[in-house]
């Protein structure tokens, strides 16, 4: 991850445009156009891991912006104003493009702020509300999006992604190679398939073979590199290691009594919380949204 980020910084220093994108933006388009990009939640995780989180949020508050809402989206915005010596891994280069979807008021407002910075333009995609959800939606999601999500919603988003492609092509002078995009999408599907197998393996295994605070970072670092062979290999390795642990009867909590799911964003600031439940109650967290999304 550090090597990749330094390569991105070097490309930015050489004059290439880079993008800052939300977790739900169409990353594959940027990869196919060879536009280096950083996911804002990834940037926040690095800032937080280096114990540098308070300063960016204090900077946002000083500018009259909220410092308490969607910090995992907002932190890189405040990081731009820090002293260079205080910016983890050398700091995020100023992006040429800031792209997100309107999944709520906060994310859209954060990316509007990026668009007010000199040299940065914002593009926002729609994320419309679902109609009635089929009872068996989890069976439909892997392959039948039209029935699961409503074809009109998909048509709208597809049209807006086409608009985004044209917007990027106009500003970079590049042309999207649709064949390359198809290869990137195929790699992303392969990665998701390995993650689906790992998810199902953990769900069916008794006792629980792997800690949720291990699978969270093991899944999310490759997720931000989706569409690459590196990410596919990482997802495959996680599956192989998990399967090996199941075959050998490994138990992260030998006295397992209850199985728990953690709903919403992980408590990244205190991953030890999950194992404390094991120690005190024999209760094991087996599910997080990260592996579920990655599948």
């Amino acid at each position: 991850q550090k090597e990749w980020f330094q390569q991105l910084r070097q490309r930015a220093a050489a004059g290439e445009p880079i993008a800052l994108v939300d977790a739900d933006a169409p990353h594959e388009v940027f990869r196919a156009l060879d536009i280096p990009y950083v996911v804002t939640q990834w940037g926040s995780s690095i800032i937080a891991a280096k114990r540098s989180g308070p300063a960016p949020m204090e900077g946002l508050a000083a500018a009259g912006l909220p410092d308490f809402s969607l910090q995992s989206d907002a932190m890189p915005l405040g990081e731009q104003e820090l002293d260079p010596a205080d910016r983890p891994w050398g700091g995020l280069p100023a992006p040429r493009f800031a792209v997100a979807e309107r999944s709520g008021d906060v994310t859209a407002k954060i990316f509007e702020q990026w668009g007010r910075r000199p040299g940065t333009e914002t593009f926002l995609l729609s994320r419309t509300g679902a109609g009635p959800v089929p009872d068996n939606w989890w069976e439909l999601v892997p392959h039948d999006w039209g029935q699961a999500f409503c074809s009109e919603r998909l048509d709208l988003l597809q049209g807006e992604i086409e608009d985004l492609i044209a917007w990027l092509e106009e500003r970079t002078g590049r042309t999207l190679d649709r064949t390359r995009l198809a290869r990137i999408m195929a790699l992303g599907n392969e990665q998701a398939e390995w993650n689906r197998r790992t998810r199902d393996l953990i769900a069916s295994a008794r006792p629980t073979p792997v800690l949720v605070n291990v699978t969270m970072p093991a899944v999310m670092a490759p997720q931000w590199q989706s569409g690459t062979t590196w990410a596919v290999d990482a997802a495959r390795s996680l599956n192989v290691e998990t399967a090996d642990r199941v075959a050998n009867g490994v138990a992260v909590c030998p006295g397992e009594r209850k199985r728990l799911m953690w709903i919403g964003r992980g408590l990244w600031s205190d991953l030890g919380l999950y194992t404390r439940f094991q120690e005190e109650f024999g209760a094991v967290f087996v599910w997080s949204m990260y592996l579920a999304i990655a599948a």
Side-chain angles (χ1 to χ4, degrees), residues 22-73:
D22 183 55
D24 300 315
H27 303 173
E28 296 84 357
V29 167
F30 292 90
R31 192 173 301 284
L33 282 166
D34 198 26
I35 298 174
Y37 67 89
V38 175
V39 180
T40 183
Q41 289 87 351
W42 180 90
S44 296
S45 72
I46 299 300
I47 296 168
K50 296 299 180 182
R51 298 290 191 264
S52 301
M57 304 315 296
E58 290 167 3
L60 293 182
L65 299 169
D67 61 353
F68 54 85
S69 185
L70 271 192
Q71 294 176 334
S72 60
D73 283 14

Side-chain angles (χ1 to χ4, degrees), residues 216-272:
M216 283 164 55
V219 165
M220 290 318 294
Q223 192 72 358
W224 306 139
Q225 304 293 337
S226 181
T228 64
T229 54
W230 179 87
V232 172
D233 290 344
R236 182 190 299 112
S237 295
L238 177 62
N239 178 263
V240 169
E241 185 170 349
T242 302
D244 183 66
R245 293 172 71 87
V246 172
N248 288 295
V250 174
V252 296
C253 179
E256 179 178 320
R257 297 171 54 206
K258 298 287 185 182
R259 294 164 69 87
L260 306 174
M261 64 189 298
W262 179 269
I263 301 175
R265 290 176 179 84
L267 195 66
W268 291 95
S269 59
D270 184 14
L271 292 177

Side-chain angles (χ1 to χ4, degrees), residues 6 11 25 30 72 84 97 116 121-122 145 171 251 269 278:
Q6 292 309 321
R11 293 177 67 175
F30 292 90
S72 60
F97 310 116
R116 295 176 183 175
E121 286 187 273
T122 292
W145 289 8
R171 284 156 175 76
S269 59
Q278 295 176 196

Side-chain angles (χ1 to χ4, degrees), residues 1-172:
Q1 292 290 288
K2 185 178 288 186
E3 180 182 359
W4 159 77
F5 187 62
Q6 292 309 321
Q7 291 172 352
L8 180 142
R9 282 171 43 81
Q10 291 166 10
R11 293 177 67 175
E16 282 196 64
I18 72 161
L20 181 75
V21 301
D22 183 55
D24 300 315
H27 303 173
E28 296 84 357
V29 167
F30 292 90
R31 192 173 301 284
L33 282 166
D34 198 26
I35 298 174
Y37 67 89
V38 175
V39 180
T40 183
Q41 289 87 351
W42 180 90
S44 296
S45 72
I46 299 300
I47 296 168
K50 296 299 180 182
R51 298 290 191 264
S52 301
M57 304 315 296
E58 290 167 3
L60 293 182
L65 299 169
D67 61 353
F68 54 85
S69 185
L70 271 192
Q71 294 176 334
S72 60
D73 283 14
M75 205 171 283
L77 183 63
E79 183 259 10
Q80 293 286 287
E81 306 302 329
L82 296 182
D83 185 277
D86 298 327
R87 302 179 70 192
W89 289 7
L92 174 71
R96 174 70 177 82
F97 310 116
V99 179
E101 39 66 52
R102 299 180 181 91
S103 59
D105 294 339
V106 179
T107 297
K109 291 297 183 183
I110 291 170
F111 276 78
E112 285 174 7
Q113 291 293 325
W114 279 105
R116 295 176 183 175
R117 295 180 58 84
T120 302
E121 286 187 273
T122 292
F123 190 102
L124 295 173
L125 297 151
S126 297
R127 185 171 172 181
T128 52
V133 179
D135 291 338
N136 61 331
W137 61 266
W138 55 88
E139 297 172 358
L140 301 172
V141 165
H143 303 291
D144 193 350
W145 289 8
Q147 187 177 351
F149 298 123
C150 179
S151 58
E152 288 84 357
R153 297 177 65 212
L154 298 175
D155 290 345
L156 172 63
L157 184 54
Q158 180 178 341
E160 291 191 349
I161 291 174
E162 292 288 355
D163 292 342
L164 171 64
I165 291 168
W167 187 81
L168 291 169
E169 288 178 330
E170 179 183 358
R171 284 156 175 76
T172 62

Side-chain angles (χ1 to χ4, degrees), residues 164-232:
L164 171 64
I165 291 168
W167 187 81
L168 291 169
E169 288 178 330
E170 179 183 358
R171 284 156 175 76
T172 62
R174 303 174 187 179
T175 300
L176 179 69
D177 182 339
R178 304 270 170 160
T179 302
R180 184 183 185 191
L181 177 62
R183 290 197 299 267
I184 289 168
M185 295 293 289
L187 286 169
N189 284 341
E190 184 179 354
Q191 180 181 349
E193 175 62 24
W194 282 112
N195 287 323
R196 185 190 64 80
R197 295 180 188 181
T198 302
R199 178 203 64 188
D200 293 350
L201 187 61
I202 293 172
S204 61
R206 299 292 189 279
T208 303
V210 62
L211 294 168
V212 72
N213 47 346
V214 170
T215 59
M216 283 164 55
V219 165
M220 290 318 294
Q223 192 72 358
W224 306 139
Q225 304 293 337
S226 181
T228 64
T229 54
W230 179 87
V232 172

